[in-house]
Structure formats: C-alpha cells, structure tokens
Amino acid sequence: MTLQIQSHQEHAPQELPQVLVLEPPNVFKAYEKQFLEKFQFLKAWESEIPTEQFLTTHARSIRALLCSDWTPITADVLRLLPSLRVIVTSSAGLNHIDLSECRRGGISVANVGTVFSEDVADMAVGLLIDVLRRITAANRYVKAGLWPIKGDFPLGSKLGGKRIGIVGLGSIGLEVAKRLEAFSCSISYTSRKKKPSISFPFYTNACELAANCDILIICCALTNETRHMINKEVLSALGREGIVVNIARGAIVDEKELVRCLEQGEIAGAGLDVFENEPNVPTELLVLDNIVLSPHCSVLTEESFRDMFELISGNLEAFFSNKSLLSPVFDE
Amino acid sequence: MTLQIQSHQEHAPQELPQVLVLEPPNVFKAYEKQFLEKFQFLKAWESEIPTEQFLTTHARSIRALLCSDWTPITADVLRLLPSLRVIVTSSAGLNHIDLSECRRGGISVANVGTVFSEDVADMAVGLLIDVLRRITAANRYVKAGLWPIKGDFPLGSKLGGKRIGIVGLGSIGLEVAKRLEAFSCSISYTSRKKKPSISFPFYTNACELAANCDILIICCALTNETRHMINKEVLSALGREGIVVNIARGAIVDEKELVRCLEQGEIAGAGLDVFENEPNVPTELLVLDNIVLSPHCSVLTEESFRDMFELISGNLEAFFSNKSLLSPVFDE
C-alpha cells in the first residue's frame, strides 16, 4: 500500500494522462484530490483566456473530456477538438451532448450508467410520500408552534392502493416500481415501446397512462420526443386528484402548464426535483402549499458520489489503456 | 337503497343504542353524520355539568364507550360506570386504558387493530427518506431562493444498504420492514421475544440492536416495560451517524436525552411524529436542522379514517347485537 502511494506521488502531473474539463462537475470538486492522483486536468474554467481560444490552443493534445450535464457539448465545441476521442459525463442523462456529432466523429461517450438509479428512485418515493402525507407542511406546522393552537393536522392521502403511472421504464423507473409495489401500489407505464419481459400494464402514450392512474412519476430521458411530453392534455387526463413527481428533467414537463394546473387546482399536487430553467424556479411555485420542491439533488448522496468517482476514473483509465469503456453509451 | 335510508330516518335517535363519548375522537368529528345514523351518543364534553356528575347521572344506562388515545380511561372513570361492558377506542395503542381493571370488571375492549399499520409504516419511511435526503430542508432552500445564490445543495445519505433496526416487530414493524427491504436495506429487530416465523436477525434488547444498525425505527407499544426504553445508553450505542425515527409513542424515547444527543451531534438526526407531552414539542427541537417533525399525524389519512369508521361502527354493532367484537383486545 505504501509502495503504491509512493508510485502515485512519483508521477509528475505532466506525465499523467490529460483530461479536459470545461466546467467542474460536482464529483470533480468532491474528489479532486483523488482525481489528481490519476489524471492531469486542463481546467478551461480557471483560464483567463476565452474558452474557444483555450480549446484552440490545446486542440491537438486533447483526447479526453470530462463534463457534467450542465455543460453543453455542442457540434461547435466538438469542431474545436479534432483529436477528441472520448467524452465522460458525470450524468446519466445525455441531452447536453450532441450524440450524432459524436458518432459521426468517432468519439466514444460514457455516462455514469445506473450509479444514480437507486438514489433517484428513493427521492421519487420520498417526494411522493411527502406530497401525499404533507410531511414538509407538517414540519412547518410543528416548527411554527401551530399544533397546540390549531390542533390536529389535516388528513393526508394514503399511498397504498394508488395507481402509479411510470413515464419511462428504464433503470430508474424499474427501481421506482420495485419500491412502490412494496407499498401496495399498482404500477403501469409508458415507454418508447412495450417491454416484453415486464408484466405491468403498458400504455402507448403519456395521455392514456395519465387517464388510468392517480400519480405520474417522470423517469424518462429528455429527448426531442419527450420535450414537453407532459403537456396540458396529459395533466388534464390525470385530473384534479392527480399528482406529478418529476425527478428526470424539467423540460419533459410543460412547466408553464404545470404551474397553471397547480394554481387552479386542476391537479392536486407535485413533487419536483427538476425544472426547465435551473437553478431558476417559477416564482408561482414558491408560494403554493401543495408542492414539494428540491434543487435537482436526487443524485446527491455521498455514496453515489463515491461510486461515480470510481466509475468515471475507471472509464478514463480504460480509455487511456485502450480497453473497453465500463459504461459506454454507444455499442462498441 | 331508498328504503334503507328511510328505515334509518324512521329511527328516532332515542331508539338507537346508546354510546358514551367523553371527548370526541377525530373520526367522530369526521364521520359524525354517519355515526348518528347508527347510534345515540351521550356527549360528556358538550355537557355543562362536570364530567364526574355527568357520568354518575347516566351511570346505570351506559353499556358502551367510544374513546380515543388522548382520553385516559382510568380505574376512577370505570368505577363510575358499573354497567359498562365495552370500550371501543379509535387507536391501535391501548396505553390510555386501564386494561387490568377492564379485565377484572368483565369489560371488553376493541381497538382499531391494524387499520393504521400501512399508513404509519408509510410515514416512517417518508420521515426516514426525508431525514436522509433532507427533503424538507431542500424545499426550504428552494423556496427561500437560495439555489441560484448558493448553488448545489449539500450531499445527503443513501437509503440503500443502511442497516435498519426495528424496535417492536408487530403489524406496523412488519409493514416497515417490507417497505425498506424494497430499498435494499438490511433489517434486524428487537421484540419481547424472538419470532420463530421471521428470518430477520433478532437482538434481545434495544441497546444491542442499536449497536448493530444505522437507523432505529420505533414501532412498539407504550407499556411500563417500553417507557424510556430508548435511553442514553441506546442512543450512544446507535452512535454519531445514527438516525432515530419514532412513529409509535413519544414516551418510549427519553425525550430529554434525545434532544441532548441531537443538539450535541451524538446522533445524526431524527424523524419524529410523536412526543412525550403532545401537542407540546421541546423548543430545542424547533430550531434544529437535522430533524423532521410531524404532529402525530401518521394515522391521519382519508382512507384510514373511512376504514376506522367502519371498524368502530362494526364493533359497536356487534356488541349491541350480542356478536363477537371484530377487533377484540382480549381473547373472547
């Protein structure tokens, strides 16, 4: 062990493989020391010269890029990096990367796979119980000293028996389903296509799903097809007793329409971890009582960060030693 | 159906069987109209004469009593009611009733059995996720507009893999275990005695259990044996990373000691639906950030109330027609 540490320390940073970072992902900040033992980072965000010039300067040497989901990797960025061969993103979602341009340019992409799926599913269930049983409001009630004055807290709604509609039955959706079955909920779903191995009822679109359930949980990826998929028609099909939980991406929901439905009581409540224009949240939502909001933190646990650090490092190490990526997005 | 309603209406209230109520349970308030179709109520709390005199006046006729868990049915009360033959309580807990005196006097007791178990278990899981993933604090963060200013929310802690210790593996404890297994938690428990049909590891007391788990969930009844069972020693065995969730009765935990441990960081957090001196909550708890408080509302759902109304009515109807109680506390 001592030997190993010495061997790490003996590497001068300039001998370590070089990775470009435009803006530091959270995991980079949390595990910077550990990352620096393995890689040398070109930190575009610390440079005083404009990003484009920074990229042009280093263009020839940059073969690997680490990014998070809030750094768009557009065709324009890719054009500046002709030697780029791998992008590792600290997200499960890929909507910030121009994937067709990557394919065309022979650039491999690795995401963090299912590292977050359990945490995100836990958060979905936590937000849902919170909305149904008004835990956040109850906490406010007690802390404001209202219990001795106003007496019993209003009745909540029971989770057991609720009809849950999962929008997008990927790894997160399946984890949500597994959890909510243990609460005696019934599960149905919509997805690009019916999954032959799954016995939950399938609906061909979100609107039909919404018409047949009490609660919609959004678990799909943001793509051109899913943008604003949860629109006025879907929310109206869900109805006045309906609840929306979104732990996927804000833009899958037509946020203006959601705000209107919540304000006018056209749906009953919402638990939202994601928003269309983060970190900005529509001000109308800040004053509503029938919603619970969290700041896109469904993936933020110490355990996920450790797993994510290991997976990102593993992907970069695999790339630099000409091995297969651990969590490739394209078939290799 | 019309005939049935007419038949109800034809009953003059004084012909309906008589039930004493000292203070109205919540369910009585919520379902008063439906109760009044079936029974005639002697409402002690509405009378201007003192309760003792009220009871003495009606002593001979009172055979049935409906109460909730915040009305103590002591030996003194029972002595005033020599004709009493049944007590129906709108609670699962029985610590407010002098059960030995009831047995001695040949008074049957019915509680609401397991009507609440699922709701209480849901609340336990909701409080736990809230504490681990800081949902209530996250909601405060977003609503206070801190997200755009301060950026990412602090890391939470992952539920999956946590070692859950259930104190009291009755119907609520079993429902909690079923739910948390679906989150990939490991379960162990303590109970008056080991349950032969259960495969979860058993510890003979709360202290040993606490030493072997990350999270204690209190699910047992309040009795002389369990009062202040979760004391300084148990909390210290749970340790600095430990979390306590209490959805049972406040007095099972030594509240002063719990407050001290939370203030001094000797445990990591708590989710509390119950308190020693409800509706009063220790003021120290109101300012702590590592806890989530709710006002004894784990049973308060519309669905539970409907089920509870039906079970209470059913018990009273059974009594008045000389049938077996639906949910007797003593073997009959």
Side-chain angles (χ1 to χ4, degrees):
Chain A
M1 192 63 190
T2 316
L3 270 175
Q4 220 181 340
I5 290 170
Q6 283 184 334
S7 117
H8 271 137
Q9 288 174 334
E10 280 166 15
H11 271 297
Q14 60 271 29
E15 291 172 25
L16 294 171
Q18 205 178 50
V19 178
L20 170 68
V21 186
L22 297 173
E23 293 174 291
N26 298 320
V27 68
F28 184 80
K29 293 184 245 176
Y31 281 84
E32 184 163 8
K33 187 170 157 286
Q34 293 87 331
F35 272 120
L36 287 174
E37 288 174 3
K38 296 171 182 248
F39 310 102
Q40 173 194 354
F41 290 95
L42 286 171
K43 300 176 174 179
W45 82 95
E46 284 188 351
S47 167
E48 284 174 7
I49 59 176
T51 303
E52 194 173 323
Q53 201 184 324
F54 181 90
L55 295 186
T56 312
T57 311
H58 295 281
R60 294 196 160 248
S61 61
I62 292 169
R63 295 174 62 220
L65 184 156
L66 169 63
C67 68
S68 71
D69 51 357
W70 27 273
T71 309
I73 308 297
T74 60
D76 286 343
V77 171
L78 295 172
R79 253 191 300 280
L80 296 170
L81 301 168
S83 306
L84 190 68
R85 285 295 161 269
V86 70
I87 296 172
V88 179
T89 177
S90 67
S91 60
L94 293 160
N95 55 294
H96 56 300
I97 302 175
D98 188 329
L99 291 179
S100 15
E101 203 58 36
C102 288
R103 269 184 199 277
R104 226 183 330 263
I107 300 168
S108 302
V109 178
N111 67 354
V112 292
T114 60
V115 159
F116 295 136
S117 301
E118 295 185 339
D119 274 341
V120 175
D122 292 353
M123 192 75 179
V125 175
L127 286 170
L128 176 56
I129 301 180
D130 197 320
V131 172
L132 286 172
R133 305 299 304 275
R134 310 184 198 202
I135 294 180
T136 290
N139 181 70
R140 240 181 351 247
Y141 189 82
V142 174
K143 290 200 170 172
L146 294 175
W147 190 10
I149 298 165
K150 295 182 127 189
D152 266 342
F153 194 64
L155 294 183
S157 185
K158 181 176 182 142
L159 178 51
K162 288 282 188 296
R163 297 169 304 159
I164 308 286
I166 296 184
V167 179
L169 200 67
S171 79
I172 293 171
L174 284 168
E175 293 289 344
V176 170
K178 179 179 130 194
R179 284 155 178 70
L180 289 176
E181 281 198 297
F183 289 82
S184 305
C185 295
S186 65
I187 312 286
S188 55
Y189 75 105
T190 184
S191 212
R192 266 166 302 181
K193 44 189 177 184
K194 188 169 175 359
K195 308 203 175 237
S197 61
I198 301 289
S199 61
F200 302 135
F202 168 77
Y203 293 95
T204 50
N205 60 62
C207 203
E208 270 192 58
L209 179 70
N212 287 285
C213 66
D214 306 306
I215 291 154
L216 277 187
I217 303 188
I218 320 299
C219 303
C220 60
L222 175 61
T223 63
N224 287 335
E225 289 71 42
T226 64
R227 185 175 299 272
H228 283 206
M229 179 172 59
I230 308 303
N231 56 19
K232 183 175 179 171
E233 194 190 355
V234 174
L235 294 170
S236 157
L238 185 62
R240 305 188 81 80
E241 304 288 315
I243 289 170
V244 171
V245 172
N246 191 1
I247 41 70
R249 284 290 179 272
I252 299 166
V253 178
D254 180 341
E255 199 169 72
K256 276 208 181 117
E257 201 49 49
L258 178 68
V259 168
R260 196 192 57 74
C261 287
L262 285 164
E263 280 186 315
Q264 304 191 355
E266 294 182 19
I267 67 169
L272 305 173
D273 187 52
V274 290
F275 305 87
E276 276 206 71
N277 186 26
E278 297 174 6
N280 299 303
V281 173
T283 48
E284 300 93 326
L285 290 183
L286 305 185
V287 295
L288 287 175
D289 217 37
N290 52 342
I291 56 166
V292 182
L293 308 173
S294 55
H296 201 149
C297 63
S298 73
V299 303
L300 301 183
T301 70
E302 291 175 13
E303 292 83 350
S304 278
F305 265 50
R306 186 201 55 220
D307 294 348
M308 180 163 53
F309 161 70
E310 283 168 9
L311 185 56
I312 290 174
S313 295
N315 271 306
L316 289 170
E317 286 172 329
F319 167 75
F320 287 116
S321 46
N322 293 314
K323 291 182 183 152
S324 299
L325 296 180
L326 304 181
S327 52
V329 169
F330 311 134
D331 295 331
E332 293 198 319
Chain B
M1 191 63 190
T2 314
L3 270 176
Q4 221 182 339
I5 288 170
Q6 282 184 337
S7 118
H8 270 140
Q9 286 174 335
E10 279 166 14
H11 272 295
Q14 60 271 29
E15 290 172 25
L16 294 170
Q18 207 178 46
V19 178
L20 170 67
V21 186
L22 298 173
E23 293 175 290
N26 298 322
V27 68
F28 184 82
K29 293 184 245 177
Y31 281 87
E32 184 162 9
K33 186 169 159 288
Q34 293 88 332
F35 271 119
L36 286 173
E37 288 172 5
K38 297 172 182 250
F39 311 102
Q40 172 194 356
F41 290 95
L42 287 171
K43 300 176 174 179
W45 81 96
E46 283 188 351
S47 167
E48 283 175 7
I49 58 175
T51 303
E52 194 173 322
Q53 199 183 323
F54 181 90
L55 295 186
T56 314
T57 312
H58 295 282
R60 292 192 164 253
S61 62
I62 293 170
R63 296 174 62 222
L65 185 156
L66 169 62
C67 67
S68 71
D69 51 358
W70 25 272
T71 310
I73 309 297
T74 61
D76 287 343
V77 172
L78 295 173
R79 254 191 299 279
L80 295 169
L81 301 168
S83 305
L84 190 67
R85 286 296 161 266
V86 69
I87 297 172
V88 179
T89 177
S90 66
S91 60
L94 293 160
N95 53 295
H96 56 299
I97 303 176
D98 188 330
L99 292 178
S100 14
E101 204 58 38
C102 289
R103 269 182 199 278
R104 226 183 332 263
I107 300 167
S108 302
V109 178
N111 67 355
V112 290
T114 60
V115 159
F116 295 136
S117 302
E118 293 185 340
D119 274 342
V120 175
D122 291 353
M123 192 74 178
V125 175
L127 287 170
L128 176 56
I129 301 180
D130 198 319
V131 172
L132 286 172
R133 304 300 304 276
R134 311 186 196 200
I135 294 179
T136 290
N139 181 70
R140 238 178 356 245
Y141 189 82
V142 174
K143 289 198 172 173
L146 294 176
W147 190 10
I149 298 164
K150 294 181 125 190
D152 266 340
F153 194 64
L155 295 182
S157 185
K158 180 175 183 144
L159 178 52
K162 288 281 188 296
R163 297 168 305 159
I164 309 286
I166 297 185
V167 179
L169 200 67
S171 79
I172 294 170
L174 284 168
E175 293 288 346
V176 170
K178 178 178 131 195
R179 284 155 178 71
L180 288 177
E181 281 199 297
F183 290 81
S184 306
C185 295
S186 65
I187 312 285
S188 55
Y189 74 106
T190 184
S191 211
R192 268 166 300 180
K193 43 188 177 184
K194 188 171 174 2
K195 309 205 173 233
S197 62
I198 301 289
S199 61
F200 302 134
F202 168 77
Y203 292 95
T204 50
N205 60 62
C207 203
E208 270 191 58
L209 179 70
N212 288 284
C213 66
D214 305 307
I215 291 153
L216 276 187
I217 304 188
I218 319 299
C219 303
C220 60
L222 174 61
T223 64
N224 288 335
E225 289 72 42
T226 64
R227 186 175 300 273
H228 282 205
M229 180 172 59
I230 308 302
N231 55 19
K232 184 176 177 170
E233 195 190 354
V234 174
L235 294 170
S236 156
L238 185 61
R240 305 187 81 82
E241 304 288 316
I243 289 169
V244 172
V245 172
N246 190 1
I247 43 67
R249 284 291 179 272
I252 298 166
V253 178
D254 180 341
E255 199 170 70
K256 275 207 183 116
E257 200 51 47
L258 178 68
V259 168
R260 197 191 57 74
C261 287
L262 285 164
E263 280 186 314
Q264 303 189 354
E266 294 182 18
I267 67 168
L272 304 173
D273 187 51
V274 290
F275 306 87
E276 276 206 71
N277 186 26
E278 295 173 8
N280 300 303
V281 173
T283 47
E284 299 93 326
L285 291 183
L286 305 184
V287 295
L288 287 174
D289 216 37
N290 52 342
I291 57 168
V292 182
L293 308 173
S294 56
H296 201 150
C297 64
S298 73
V299 304
L300 300 183
T301 71
E302 291 175 13
E303 292 83 351
S304 278
F305 266 49
R306 185 200 57 220
D307 294 347
M308 180 163 53
F309 161 69
E310 283 167 8
L311 185 56
I312 290 173
S313 295
N315 271 305
L316 289 169
E317 286 172 329
F319 167 75
F320 287 117
S321 47
N322 294 315
K323 290 183 184 152
S324 299
L325 296 180
L326 304 182
S327 52
V329 169
F330 310 134
D331 297 331
E332 293 200 318

